[in-house]
Amino acid sequence: MEFDVTHALPFLPENWLSSRLEGLTNARSLLETGRGLGGSFTGWVRFPETYDRKELERLIQTARIIREQSQVLVVIGIGGSYLGARAVLELLTSPNYNLLCRDRPQIFFTGNTLSSDALSELLEYVEDRSFSVLVISKSGTTLEPSVAFLLFRQLLEKKYGRVKARDRIFAITDRHDGALRALADQEGYATFSIPPSIGGRYSVLTAAGLLPLAAAKLDPEELLSGAADAMVRLRTPGQDNPAWQYAAARNALYEGGKTIELLACYEPAFRCFGEWWKQLFGESEGKEGRGLFPASVEFTTDLHSLGQYIQEGERDIFETVVRFAIPAASCPLDPKEDDQLDFLRGKDLRHVNEQARKGTVLAHVAGGVPNLLLTVRERSAYWVGQMLYFFEYACGLSGYLLGLNPFNQPGVEAYKKNMFALLGKPGYEGHLSTPQPPSL
């Protein structure tokens, strides 16, 4: 991977990196030693080299069982329990995976909504198909996945009977505690655990991400291998470290008034990766009245919707663009004379897409939008593993540069307390928040 800050330099002070070396050195130490705020949740830092090989072999075998017995795998989870798996699945295959898969199950992600329409639609779809359920929740009490699991477990038991349904339910949860762990032990579900030192949004390289991906015949070992190589590289301190450069550049741009970061890519398969990235940075940095607002765009598509605002709207935006150096497919162009596309004759669509990227950078920088560029070799499991670790590590550094705890998310609980109070859940009486009128 290569990180390039060239098109942000006009917006950065000369000492944008050197003035932050001390802070970065301290942030690195906090990540590596686990002595900083939230340090008990830094198990992901070394996970690519410490993962349990026997557990990985069992995971691959379980994925094989799912493929053999099911046309559909329903993955139930919310936030970090599903975003990473879905992001990697679509990036390494296609956003149209469920239309194109042949010798592997369709994979649907649910438990991330309370929409009766969405849940009913999927329940109806799997009713006359063989299916398995993978439920992912550390506590087992988060409402969205709990409701979805209730509904799909009932359907499994109706379809196969309670005993046979057990063989089609797989759970990823806390190793010892929680409602889902208790139920899994009671019913005899096959289980995997997320290490207690790894929070949800950093869990994509644990069983939470790897089991659904292995069920889709993607290689978890290659993902871990890429992450392990990135770990070795990013552990080296200094100005040449790309994670240090990214963390420093976004911190300097933030201090200069650029409060919104747009993650952009020119591949539609990257769209859900942007959703994973938004949770990673949004939950890690958005607290105590601080933090960049993470948003994502798909180019060139969104240049025809948000492009006007990016070019000439409020100047509080900068872009981080992910570029894949080697696209998987070529598409040569040979227009006829009356197509009015003669200027594209002899060119490949890959070349056209790259020129669109370059032209957009020039336009946006001229319009006052700094651009950062991360170049990844290709859309393969190894390189995606590197990219996942790069963003996780840079996020940890960025949070500590802001003086925040990058591993908690206290604000997430606010809506839950109100919702449970409104639903009449015991123990939540009197927890309803009362909005305060604005001061005059």
Side-chain angles (χ1 to χ4, degrees), residues 70-92:
S70 297
Q71 295 171 291
V72 176
L73 174 63
V74 177
V75 180
I76 297 174
I78 195 166
S81 295
Y82 91 98
L83 279 171
R86 183 169 184 177
V88 176
L89 175 68
E90 293 190 5
L91 186 55
L92 292 181

Side-chain angles (χ1 to χ4, degrees), residues 3-71:
F3 182 73
D4 186 355
V5 73
T6 301
H7 292 290
L9 288 177
F11 307 89
L12 290 168
E14 288 188 11
N15 64 347
W16 66 274
L17 181 54
S18 60
S19 64
R20 288 170 174 78
L21 290 178
E22 182 178 348
L24 287 163
T25 300
N26 181 59
R28 173 192 179 275
S29 176
L30 296 177
L31 281 181
E32 297 288 341
T33 63
R35 294 176 182 170
L37 293 170
S40 60
F41 288 96
T42 54
W44 58 271
V45 175
R46 298 290 179 88
F47 189 76
E49 69 178 1
T50 62
Y51 69 93
D52 187 331
R53 295 287 311 185
K54 290 184 178 179
E55 184 84 342
L56 182 62
E57 290 171 7
R58 186 169 74 88
L59 182 149
I60 293 171
Q61 177 60 29
T62 300
R64 188 177 298 116
I65 292 170
I66 291 171
R67 286 198 301 271
E68 290 171 353
Q69 72 182 12
S70 297
Q71 295 171 291

Side-chain angles (χ1 to χ4, degrees), residues 114-134:
L114 292 171
S115 164
S116 58
D117 289 353
L119 283 164
S120 297
E121 178 183 81
L122 186 53
L123 284 162
E124 182 179 346
Y125 181 80
V126 301
E127 192 168 7
D128 59 354
R129 291 169 171 81
S130 61
F131 75 100
S132 296
V133 166
L134 171 60

Side-chain angles (χ1 to χ4, degrees), residues 269-281:
F270 191 82
R271 178 180 294 178
C272 199
F273 194 97
E275 299 301 309
W276 171 82
W277 175 89
K278 284 190 285 191
Q279 188 207 4
L280 177 68
F281 281 90

Side-chain angles (χ1 to χ4, degrees), residues 179-417:
L180 182 55
R181 168 54 64 183
L183 178 63
D185 290 345
Q186 174 186 313
E187 297 292 330
Y189 304 150
T191 63
F192 294 86
S193 61
I194 301 172
S197 60
I198 300 179
R201 60 185 176 274
Y202 292 86
S203 68
V204 60
L205 294 171
T206 71
L210 297 183
L211 181 52
L213 296 171
K217 282 192 171 181
L218 297 173
D219 191 343
E221 293 187 90
E222 278 295 293
L223 281 164
L224 287 165
S225 176
D229 285 351
M231 178 191 68
V232 171
R233 180 183 181 191
L234 300 180
R235 186 178 291 170
T236 303
Q239 299 188 53
D240 295 331
N241 186 312
W244 284 39
Q245 294 171 0
Y246 179 47
R250 62 196 306 277
N251 183 263
L253 290 167
Y254 174 62
E255 290 187 356
K258 303 294 185 181
T259 58
I260 298 172
E261 180 177 10
L262 293 179
L263 184 72
C265 186
Y266 288 72
E267 293 293 340
F270 191 82
R271 178 180 294 178
C272 199
F273 194 97
E275 299 301 309
W276 171 82
W277 175 89
K278 284 190 285 191
Q279 188 207 4
L280 177 68
F281 281 90
E283 281 195 352
S284 296
E285 292 187 325
K287 54 200 74 167
E288 299 181 18
R290 286 179 283 169
L292 283 158
F293 183 84
S296 60
V297 286
E298 178 191 321
F299 289 159
T300 60
T301 304
D302 288 338
L303 291 173
H304 297 262
S305 56
L306 292 173
Q308 173 62 40
Y309 187 93
I310 296 170
Q311 189 70 42
E312 296 184 346
E314 290 280 354
R315 300 298 77 192
D316 53 0
I317 297 172
F318 72 92
E319 292 174 320
T320 297
V321 179
V322 174
R323 168 182 174 264
F324 293 97
I326 305 175
S330 63
C331 188
L333 300 173
D334 186 20
K336 297 179 180 178
E337 290 185 7
D338 58 355
D339 288 333
Q340 298 185 10
L341 293 172
D342 192 58
F343 64 97
L344 298 178
R345 188 180 309 282
K347 296 181 172 66
D348 193 284
L349 192 55
R350 294 179 297 186
H351 172 76
V352 177
N353 201 31
E354 178 65 3
Q355 301 319 302
R357 182 191 69 79
K358 291 179 179 179
T360 303
V361 170
L362 294 174
H364 286 181
V365 172
V369 180
N371 261 249
L372 306 173
L373 176 65
L374 179 69
T375 298
V376 182
R377 179 178 172 83
E378 61 190 8
R379 286 167 52 201
S380 66
Y382 174 84
W383 288 102
V384 169
Q386 284 218 8
M387 183 170 58
L388 288 167
Y389 193 87
F390 167 83
F391 280 120
E392 289 181 342
Y393 198 82
C395 185
L397 293 175
S398 293
Y400 283 140
L401 274 182
L402 284 172
L404 300 170
N405 178 350
F407 307 110
N408 69 350
Q409 52 282 336
V412 173
E413 301 303 314
Y415 93 92
K416 293 182 182 179
K417 293 177 181 178

